[in-house]
């Protein structure tokens, strides 16, 4: 069991108690030793001791009051920062207007609480439910499927708790942190140990300081045992679908058994992942808010309310969608509009004006035309008839089924699942253009096509350096892009940026060393210029690093204390002055030796060299790029970031003012800010962009391989065995990319590709054997042809 961490302020109480005991003991010893001789009056000694105690207390009281006021000021500042930041993120997510998103949840009290399960509730009651949990520890787990509004509910809870914060009542500060940036404790630390607690607290302080723009020292003062930690994304702790999920399990165990852990915690997690941890409450002592799908009537109310706000009450455009969802509540269209995230995409896509602000760019009836019940029924019947004919089964007598029975059968089929995925893919393809058109400040700043291309490239940036290229797509498909500005440099061309950066610093280091060798002779001069030589050589060595994060300070700094007065002084004054002094001293000594100028009469060239050295010394020690929301700090990351921006802009990959673009996308609701990094608005949006980038490298070769194998088989009249072997060789491309096909396309496309490969291999195996069976060969040929045709249709429907 780890040693318990003292609570803030307990040090002064313990010091005062120890000092009081020591003074009383010393006074008692003096009185007892002086009693036989009568040198000390006991009453006077007692009065003196009491006076000394009062005097010391009078000295300690101002220190205690100063510390208390500093803590209270830190709390007030952090609460204001949390409220302002989360309100801005909240407005970016909701978009224009004041429409109320239909986020609903079912609340279950903590296992030891008295209330039982309740019905569905609106999202803004979650703060009352949380505050109504039995104390003294309040914990809540927010669970649900993808896109159901877990992060939105956590953000609303953070805003409400910050707005209701009562410092007089001793309320803790609410802070919302993304767990995707939690790397876990070092060396698999035991969750019960103090090391685990210190590592987690250090991470929480750093994340809160970076997210809310407050000094880390003040944040550490404010995060007392009464603070409320809202941890978003427990399921993102172990990307890649790990079954055991060791990091998430370790964090839950820490919150359950560590005596020093934060008491008030809210965790968001996907419902199926949360239930994998077992027990009635995987988060110890927590209630549960389970998010529910959006009913069709509430979905249409939201869409119509957006129309009423932005289009002067014109809501009849949605009448066809309303009728469709009422008649077919389990159809593809109703599924596509069953989550707040998809409703937001739909509202954005169909509330964009046409050219010149006249008319509408898109009509909601398009949704019914593409994914309505009539289309579902025709597709389901065609697939059922094809399957029956392919396997020699009797076709269904559809005339014996009532229209309601046929519709329910179609809604329960794989065709409905595929159409729902296609509808979601279509809505995702419209998200960027609609957001660009409705941007709150500068809708015409960037063309929608370029915005989509830039965001697509950014979505491919994964924080795993060793997995690069299409060979590893299936391994990085479940990872998330971490858009930390100073780690984006590989997108400009990994080899190009690294080579330019390393070459520039190497030339600079060689120049510094050459000048030092040519000019310096005196040991004192060598000692004065030695720091500049070492700094230049060390920087050249690090400039060749292939790591995404080349800032050594980010890996060495472990205390998490940054942003105080000393840190502010060092960043703004100390480090630049050190660069000016070191560079200027180097320039002066070298130029004075090379020109052999006498010290009393220094020529102008020496002063020019001194000024040049002073200016070059600043970026060697302190350099930053202040155009981004989070600011790239440090000499090496700052220089590499600038080289990356130039390379990416010249190659047409990203804008030169990337920071301004990221801020613009953040204001429009395409991105959000978590800690020191940007994140995409939603995981489904990020995954769509990632698939859009890699799909052209995977899907066309697979389609081409299937077509080539089909043509080879159809032309195998004279030498079927050779044609069969040739077909198997052509199908190797499809086999190698089978897993990546599922990763870069929707499920229906991957299934169609797998079925095409299976049918073509069966035909190729039959031909390779050289058996003469025209009837069997005809059946295999027809199955392969139909499978390839369906593969093409699935790829075309998915875009």
């Amino acid at each position: 069991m780890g040693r318990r961490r003292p609570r803030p302020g307990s040090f002064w109480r313990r010091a005062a108690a120890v000092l009081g005991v020591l003074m009383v003991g010393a006074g008692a010893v003096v009185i007892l030793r002086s009693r036989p001789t009568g040198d000390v009056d006991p009453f006077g000694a007692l009065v003196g001791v009491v006076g000394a105690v009062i005097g010391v207390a009078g000295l300690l009281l101002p220190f205690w009051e100063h510390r208390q006021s500093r803590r209270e000021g830190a709390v007030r500042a952090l609460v204001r920062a949390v409220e302002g930041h989360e309100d801005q993120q909240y407005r970016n997510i909701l978009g224009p207007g004041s429409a109320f998103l239909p986020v609903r949840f079912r609340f279950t009290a903590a296992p030891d609480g008295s209330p039982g399960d309740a019905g569905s509730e609106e999202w803004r009651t979650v703060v009352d439910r949380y505050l109504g949990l039995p104390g003294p520890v309040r914990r809540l787990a927010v669970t649900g499927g993808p896109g159901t509004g877990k992060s939105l509910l956590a953000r609303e809870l953070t805003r409400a708790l910050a707005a209701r914060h009562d410092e007089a009542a001793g309320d803790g500060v609410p802070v919302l942190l993304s767990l995707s940036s939690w790397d876990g404790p070092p060396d698999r630390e035991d969750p019960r140990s103090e090391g685990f607690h210190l590592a987690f607290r250090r991470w929480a302080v750093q994340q809160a300081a970076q997210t809310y723009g407050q000094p880390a020292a003040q944040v550490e003062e404010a995060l007392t045992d009464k603070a409320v930690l809202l941890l978003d994304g427990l399921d993102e702790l172990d990307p890649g679908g790990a079954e055991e999920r060791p990091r998430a399990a370790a964090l839950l165990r820490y919150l359950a058994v560590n005596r020093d852990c934060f008491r008030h915690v809210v965790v968001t997690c996907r419902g199926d992942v949360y239930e994998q941890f077992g027990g009635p409450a995987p988060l110890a002592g927590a209630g549960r808010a389970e998010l529910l799908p959006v009913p069709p009537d509430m979905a249409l109310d939201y869409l119509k309310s957006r129309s009423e706000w932005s289009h002067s009450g014109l809501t009849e455009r949605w009448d066809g969608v309303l009728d469709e969802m009422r008649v077919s509540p389990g159809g593809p269209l109703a599924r596509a509009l069953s989550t707040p995230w998809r409703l937001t995409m739909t509202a954005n896509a169909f509330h964009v004006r046409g050219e010149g602000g006249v008319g509408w760019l898109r009509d909601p009836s398009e949704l019914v035309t593409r994914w309505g019940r009539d289309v579902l029924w025709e597709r389901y019947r065609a697939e059922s008839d094809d399957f029956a004919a392919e396997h020699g089964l009797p076709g269904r007598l559809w005339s014996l089924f009532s229209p309601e029975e046929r519709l329910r059968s179609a809604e329960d089929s794989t065709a409905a699942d595929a159409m729902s995925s296609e509808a979601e893919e279509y809505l995702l393809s419209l998200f960027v253009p609609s957001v660009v058109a409705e941007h709150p400040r500068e809708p015409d700043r960037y063309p929608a096509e370029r915005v989509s291309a830039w965001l697509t490239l950014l979505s491919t940036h994964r924080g795993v350096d060793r997995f690069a290229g299409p060979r590893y797509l299936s391994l990085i498909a479940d990872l998330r892009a971490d858009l930390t500005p100073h780690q984006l440099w590989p997108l400009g061309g990994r080899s190009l940026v690294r080579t330019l950066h390393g070459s520039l610093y190497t030339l600079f280091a060689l120049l510094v060393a050459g000048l030092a060798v040519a000019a310096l002779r005196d040991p004192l001069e060598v000692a004065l210029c030695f720091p500049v030589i070492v700094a230049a050589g060390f920087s050249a060595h690090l400039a060749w690093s292939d790591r995404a994060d080349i800032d050594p300070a980010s890996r060495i700094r472990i205390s998490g204390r940054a942003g105080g007065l000393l840190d502010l002084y060092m960043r703004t004054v100390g480090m630049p002055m050190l660069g000016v002094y070191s560079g200027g001293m180097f320039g002066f000594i070298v130029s004075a030796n090379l020109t052999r100028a006498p010290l009393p009469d220094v020529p102008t060239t020496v002063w020019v060299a001194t000024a040049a050295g002073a200016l070059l010394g600043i970026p060697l020690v302190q350099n930053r790029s202040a155009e981004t929301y989070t600011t790239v700090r440090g000499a090496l990351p700052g220089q590499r970031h600038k080289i990356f921006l130039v390379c990416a802009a010249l190659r047409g990959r990203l804008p030169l003012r990337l920071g301004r673009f990221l801020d613009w996308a953040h204001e429009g609701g395409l991105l959000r800010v978590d800690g020191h990094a940007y994140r995409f608005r939603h995981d489904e949006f990020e995954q769509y962009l990632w698939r859009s980038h890699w799909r052209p490298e995977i899907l066309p070769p697979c389609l081409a391989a299937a077509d080539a194998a089909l043509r080879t088989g159809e032309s195998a009249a004279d030498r079927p065995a050779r044609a069969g072997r040739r077909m198997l060789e052509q199908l190797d491309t499809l086999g190698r990319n089978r897993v990546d096909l599922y990763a870069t396309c929707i499920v229906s496309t991957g299934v169609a590709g797998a079925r095409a490969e299976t049918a073509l291999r069966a035909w190729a195996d039959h031909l390779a054997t050289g058996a003469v069976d025209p009837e069997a060969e005809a059946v295999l040929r027809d199955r392969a042809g139909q499978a390839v045709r369906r593969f093409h249709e699935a790829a075309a429907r998915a875009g």
Side-chain angles (χ1 to χ4, degrees), residues 571-595:
R571 285 189 288 109
T572 58
V573 180
M575 297 302 291
M577 289 302 297
L578 177 62
V580 169
Y581 173 78
S582 303
M585 181 67 69
F586 183 85
F588 179 83
I589 294 175
V590 170
S591 60
N593 285 330
L594 291 177
T595 59

Side-chain angles (χ1 to χ4, degrees), residues 539-601:
S539 299
H541 172 71
L542 291 179
W544 287 99
S545 174
D546 194 44
R547 299 184 56 155
D549 183 6
I550 64 170
D551 182 12
S554 66
R555 298 188 293 272
I556 297 173
R557 187 187 305 120
I558 60 174
S559 63
R561 294 181 177 273
L565 292 178
L566 179 60
D567 179 77
L568 181 63
Y569 171 80
M570 291 300 297
R571 285 189 288 109
T572 58
V573 180
M575 297 302 291
M577 289 302 297
L578 177 62
V580 169
Y581 173 78
S582 303
M585 181 67 69
F586 183 85
F588 179 83
I589 294 175
V590 170
S591 60
N593 285 330
L594 291 177
T595 59
R596 301 184 182 278
L599 288 181
D601 300 322

Side-chain angles (χ1 to χ4, degrees), residues 702-769:
C702 291
L703 292 172
D707 291 339
L710 182 62
R711 289 193 301 268
T712 301
E714 290 174 345
S715 61
D718 300 331
R719 308 179 68 176
R722 182 177 179 181
R725 291 191 296 270
R726 177 62 178 163
M727 288 177 65
L728 292 175
E729 293 176 359
Q730 294 168 337
L731 290 175
D732 286 342
T733 301
L734 197 56
R736 287 194 305 269
N737 294 322
R738 184 188 308 120
V739 178
D740 293 336
L741 189 65
Y742 278 97
T744 57
C745 302
I746 61 177
V747 175
S748 59
T749 305
V751 171
R755 289 176 177 173
E757 181 188 0
T758 301
L760 288 170
R761 285 191 182 277
W763 186 20
D765 291 336
H766 175 77
L767 293 176
T769 59

Side-chain angles (χ1 to χ4, degrees), residues 137-205:
V137 177
R138 294 192 183 100
R139 293 185 171 184
L140 180 67
V142 179
T143 62
T148 53
K150 299 182 294 295
S151 299
L152 190 62
L153 196 67
R155 202 170 296 281
E156 167 63 19
L157 181 56
T158 307
R159 292 176 65 249
L161 289 175
R164 296 189 185 188
H165 182 265
D166 187 359
E167 192 172 354
D171 293 345
V173 183
V175 291
L176 178 61
L177 308 175
S178 176
L179 281 175
S180 60
S181 60
W182 164 245
D183 294 330
D187 301 328
R188 298 185 179 273
E189 192 82 32
D190 188 349
R192 298 172 298 177
S193 67
E194 184 182 14
F196 195 108
H197 170 69
L198 293 178
F200 183 77
R201 180 178 177 84
R202 187 160 50 241
W203 167 81
V205 170

Side-chain angles (χ1 to χ4, degrees), residues 611-632:
L615 292 176
L616 290 175
I618 297 177
L620 185 64
V621 178
Q622 178 78 2
N623 181 43
R624 65 175 62 192
S625 174
E627 64 157 346
T628 62
Y629 185 93
T630 56
T631 303
V632 177

Side-chain angles (χ1 to χ4, degrees), residues 99-170:
F100 183 75
L101 270 176
V103 179
R104 300 161 57 250
F105 66 93
R106 180 184 296 111
F107 181 79
T108 305
D112 54 350
S114 55
D117 292 352
S120 62
E121 303 181 40
E122 299 296 337
W123 64 330
R124 292 185 176 175
T125 63
V126 67
V127 62
D128 297 322
R129 282 295 192 176
Y130 174 75
L131 294 176
L133 287 172
V137 177
R138 294 192 183 100
R139 293 185 171 184
L140 180 67
V142 179
T143 62
T148 53
K150 299 182 294 295
S151 299
L152 190 62
L153 196 67
R155 202 170 296 281
E156 167 63 19
L157 181 56
T158 307
R159 292 176 65 249
L161 289 175
R164 296 189 185 188
H165 182 265
D166 187 359
E167 192 172 354

